[in-house]
Every structure is written in structure tokens, then in C-alpha cells.
Amino acid sequence: MTTDDHFDLDSLEGFIEELVDAGFQPVPESNLQRWRGRIHPSFESLTEATTMDVVVVPGWPFQPPALFVQGLNTNHSTLDGLVCMWREGDFNHDWTTVSGLFSRIEEWCENAKNGWKDDRLDQDAFLNFRSNTPLAATFDLPALGIAEGGWGECHSVFGQTPPRVDVFPGPKRSTDQLRVLWFHVGSLNAPPPRNISEVSTCLRRTQRRQLERALANRRKPDLLTVSGGVDVILFCWERDGRPDLLVMACVGTADEVEAVALQAAPKDEQSLILRAGPDATALRKCRAAVFGAGALGGHTATLLAESGVGVVDIVDPDVLLPGNVVRHVSGHSMVGAPKAHAVQAVIADHAPWTQASGALEGPRTKKGIQERILHADIVVDTTGNEALVRSLAIVAQDSGRRLVTGALYRGGFIARVRRQATPGDTPIHQRDDLTRYPLIPAGPANEDFASAQLGCSAPVNNAPPSAAAAGASLITQVAVDVMTERFEFPDEVIDVYRAIPEPPFHQVGRVGRER
């Protein structure tokens, strides 16, 4: 044990002294890292083993010791005996005393005996499988046509850059494709299988026959090489009313076939939108018209889509240049494309549930603006063009459209987001009360702008990427607040990222004022 491995040697030595008092002895040649003792009585109904091992891992006391108990057949345990006692990142430090460790063992065993009824992560098949790899296997599960209680065939392609396995509907049709068999067993009353033998025992007779035949036909030993049998297995079951699955790649030939669990990477809309946040369902029916597809607008439009907004119309006439990419949501591969189309492509890649369109224009007339916001539930301006903001405010007020506008000031030191969405909101073009709506003073030219861009007389805005990202986040939060009709933000929000001498902007943070 060294100070390089651990943060608190005194605490660790105290824990080991308690292990010794409890009858544990160091395992030979383990360098005092592995300690073996009598199995805790709570395990006795779950295994025939008589001993258990406590292994000190690097990072004490912020990383718990590993516990090994052989012969367990329950969730949260692996075939090599590892017992998953704490979730990654747990900070309660109960394990720093033997009494705390034993208390957790009692709790764990009670859950195991009761089937982990209160544990939503009770069947982590990937982590519990004997051999696993972070190699991802992507699939659209509904598209594969997997039916409860049945079996079938599909195919996959092994991509080298980046390395991953993509699974597609339909049987293998060419030598560069991998053969995939899927099996659905219905509900699973036991822990998910931890090796290929346990997969077989979970299958029905007809399913088992198909798997055995396919494994017997394997002729190539390497991981993810095309064979005459089966290359990838999808083992599926029902959990909490929706399908779960284990993806396995076959290794070895007909005589000795083993399996390695791949990291399941579902890409169907239902799986992806779980990460869109709690407002996604409500936002699916909303349509947003976003003016501006630059540093602020690109991130804002993408965040709105990622949050679940069903339709995003992007309005911007400009073309993406290499210098734009430094702050833009899109990359150098889209240089030369209209910014609106570049953002549209990012949205399609990030949020497939969103229908995005790009209008390559900068409407300035009342009629032109009306046409662009006609069907929108919310209008979002990110251009920083005060003339356009006032035009939008007038047209939105006349059209009964809700408006949120945001911009960066003083070289990105300050972000301001204004809302015109409720009867109590002062129309943006009429905000003359400086006590309620403080004027952001202009700063030195070199603070707001860098030197002019080559080949163009326009100076480059100095706002750093972090300010653009923070400003876009604030615009999106206010817009979502409006679309969900919570109206928890005031009608004007000002965040100071770097202080300037003039009050009330002389302190970093949100400028406070009454609604």
C-alpha cells in the first residue's frame, strides 16, 4: 500500500485491523490487498461457499473494496464471484468500517432473496456477463421485428472507424455481413445469463435447437469474423413492460464457442428521447421559428430539438465559414453550406424526432416576417440585430406569437434574454423603464470586437465559445419555460459572465430585479 494508490492510509490501516479482528487473513502473494475470511451468515442461503474475499482497490477511501463470493446465482454478481455492493460514484463511505461493510452485505442479501423488487437496475446483463467489451452494438429494436417468445435472423456490419457493430433488419446477404440470431424468451424469472451456456438454459426447446445448430456451424475463431454459423446473438426478454436485451459476439469455432457481451446501444426514438428531459413529451407538439443560425442560434436550435421540440424552422441567409466553426455547433465538414442547412444536419444527427427546415433568407419586411412565424408556437431570435428584434416584437405582438430573444454583449461578458409571451410582459420594443430593464452600456471597441476578418471589412465578435454556449443554454431554458407555460423566468434575464465597472453589471452572476 502506497500513498500513490490511496488517499488516506491511516483510514485504510484501521479498516484492515478490523478485518483481522473479524478473522480475515491475507491471501498469499496478494501484497496485503486480498483478505479471506469466513463467509457472512447472510450469504449462507444463497451459496454453498464457506469463505469470502475482500479486495482493497486503489483509491481508498473514495473507492469501495471489492467483495468476492463464489457460487452466487443472482443479479448484481458475476460468474467470477464479484458482488456488486455499491453503485459507481457512491459517496456514503459505509465501507470504511467492517461493521459498515457487513451491514451492506445484509442489505444486499435481503434484496437478493426478495428478487431486487425495489431496484430498477436489477438486471444489468452487460456488466454481469463473464466477458464483456465496451464495443458498442447499435440497433433499432422495433425495426428488427423481434416478437415475444420467438426467434429470427437479422444481420450486422462491423465498422472499423469508429469500431462498432451496427445491427439491421433482414438476413445476412453478403460475405461482408455478420449473421445475427435473435431470441425472445418473454419474461425472465432468473438473472440474465452470464455466459453462453446460461443463454441456452433460458431458451425454449425450439429456440435452443436453432442456437445449437448455428453454433455448431461456426468455422472461424476470431471475434466478429464472418462464419457459416452465427456471429452475433441478441437475447431478449421483457422487463417492466418493455424489452431488454443482451448483445453477444461469438468467439471460437464449433468445438469451443464462447461469447463476449457487447455494449447495447439502442438508437430507436423511444430509447433516445429518454435523455431529452422531462419536458420532451409536451414539447413534441411545439413548433419553433429560430432567427439566426450562428454561434448562438446554432446551439439554441439544436438544444431546442434535443429537448424534444417537434418542428424547428431555422432562418438565416449566411454561409458557414471556417472561422465560424470555432463557436458553431457544426464542424468543418459543413464549411461552404448555408448555416441554416448546417444546423439542420446537426439536428437530424442529434434529434431524429425533430423535423427541421432551413430558410436561406433574412426577412426584414412585415410581410416577410409574418410568413416565417405564421405557424410557429414560439419565435426565437438569436441574431443580436436590434432592428430585427424590434421588428419581430411588433409582428409577434400583432400576430399573437410568443417571442424570446437573446444576445451577447460586451464581447460575451453579458447575456440578455427577453421574453414577450404573457399579458404581463412589456412588449420588447416598448421597454423604456431603465429601472426594470437596465441598459447594457457599450464598451471599448476592442472589447466587443477583434480585428476584421480577412477578405471582409466586418469585425469579428470577441465573445468566447463558452459565452456562446452559456447564452444559448439560457435562451433555450427561457423558450422551454414559455412552451411549457410554466413562466418561472421573469420577462428579462441578464447573466454576467465577467464583471464590467458599471452597476448592476459589476458582479458575476444573475442580475436580480423584481418581475
Side-chain angles (χ1 to χ4, degrees), residues 21-101:
D21 291 342
F24 283 77
Q25 296 181 345
V27 175
E29 300 182 359
S30 69
N31 194 28
L32 301 180
Q33 301 299 299
R34 193 176 191 107
W35 297 78
R36 183 165 295 158
R38 177 185 172 83
I39 197 166
H40 192 281
S42 297
F43 281 118
E44 291 177 353
S45 62
L46 299 171
T47 178
E48 295 181 356
T50 58
T51 62
M52 65 183 190
D53 288 3
V54 176
V55 179
V56 176
V57 302
W60 183 276
F62 304 114
Q63 297 299 320
L67 179 68
F68 286 84
V69 177
Q70 301 300 322
L72 293 174
N73 184 26
T74 176
N75 291 305
H76 296 295
S77 65
T78 64
L79 282 175
D80 62 357
L82 176 64
V83 183
C84 301
M85 298 285 289
W86 284 276
R87 291 182 181 174
E88 181 72 23
D90 195 312
F91 200 67
N92 62 40
H93 287 189
D94 288 347
W95 57 78
T96 56
T97 65
V98 169
S99 61
L101 173 65

Side-chain angles (χ1 to χ4, degrees), residues 112-420:
K113 294 170 187 175
N114 293 327
W116 303 96
K117 293 179 180 178
D118 299 325
D119 188 352
R120 296 183 64 188
L121 301 177
D122 62 343
Q123 297 186 356
D124 197 333
F126 170 74
L127 291 179
N128 289 343
F129 207 79
R130 176 185 285 275
S131 300
N132 56 54
T133 170
L135 183 70
T138 71
F139 51 87
D140 182 335
L141 196 58
L144 296 181
I146 293 176
E148 185 171 343
W151 71 276
E153 185 172 350
C154 44
H155 72 280
S156 65
V157 177
F158 182 43
Q160 299 284 348
T161 312
R164 70 168 188 250
V165 176
D166 296 318
V167 181
F168 301 99
K172 167 185 167 183
R173 298 188 181 279
S174 62
T175 56
D176 62 335
Q177 296 177 350
L178 305 174
R179 188 186 182 203
V180 181
L181 287 182
W182 61 261
F183 301 93
H184 196 305
V185 297
S187 58
L188 194 61
N189 297 321
R194 297 171 293 180
N195 60 22
I196 200 164
S197 297
E198 292 186 352
V199 170
S200 184
T201 60
C202 293
L203 299 178
R204 299 177 182 180
R205 180 182 300 176
T206 304
Q207 295 173 326
R208 191 179 305 117
R209 247 190 247 124
Q210 294 298 330
L211 177 60
E212 290 171 351
R213 186 179 299 128
L215 293 176
N217 287 333
R218 278 192 58 81
R219 296 190 300 271
K220 295 189 177 182
D222 297 331
L223 174 66
L224 300 174
T225 53
V226 180
S227 76
V230 58
D231 302 292
V232 179
I233 301 168
L234 303 183
F235 178 84
C236 309
W237 69 95
E238 292 295 314
R239 180 170 66 145
D240 298 331
R242 59 175 299 180
D244 202 348
L245 85 165
L246 175 65
V247 185
M248 295 159 285
C250 294
V251 182
T253 59
D255 296 332
E256 295 183 1
V257 179
E258 296 182 356
V260 175
L262 308 182
Q263 192 162 206
K267 60 180 182 180
D268 59 281
E269 184 174 310
Q270 184 181 7
S271 296
L272 297 181
I273 208 165
L274 291 173
R275 291 164 175 79
D279 296 319
T281 301
L283 296 177
R284 289 295 293 276
K285 58 187 178 184
C286 294
R287 183 172 193 150
V290 180
F291 285 76
L296 273 180
H299 285 288
T300 298
T302 303
L303 285 170
L304 287 170
E306 290 173 336
S307 299
V309 174
V311 181
V312 176
D313 301 315
I314 308 159
V315 184
D316 192 310
D318 290 342
V319 169
L320 188 71
L321 301 178
N324 300 140
V325 173
V326 175
R327 288 189 299 236
H328 203 266
V329 72
S330 190
H332 286 284
S333 63
M334 293 299 294
V335 165
K339 288 181 180 178
H341 288 174
V343 176
Q344 186 180 356
V346 173
I347 289 175
D349 199 35
H350 284 227
W353 51 79
T354 299
Q355 178 185 339
S357 68
L360 312 184
E361 59 184 67
R364 294 296 183 266
T365 66
K366 185 175 181 179
K367 181 180 178 182
I369 292 174
Q370 284 175 332
E371 290 176 350
R372 283 296 153 208
I373 70 174
L374 181 62
H375 302 292
D377 297 295
I378 189 170
V379 181
V380 180
D381 170 76
T382 66
T383 63
N385 184 323
E386 194 61 33
L388 176 59
V389 169
R390 289 180 172 270
S391 301
L392 284 170
I394 293 170
V395 176
Q397 185 181 28
D398 293 343
S399 307
R401 293 290 179 269
R402 294 166 168 174
L403 171 65
V404 170
T405 178
L408 296 173
Y409 301 83
R410 300 292 293 267
F413 287 11
I414 299 171
R416 179 175 66 181
V417 177
R418 294 178 283 184
R419 183 191 72 199
Q420 181 179 300

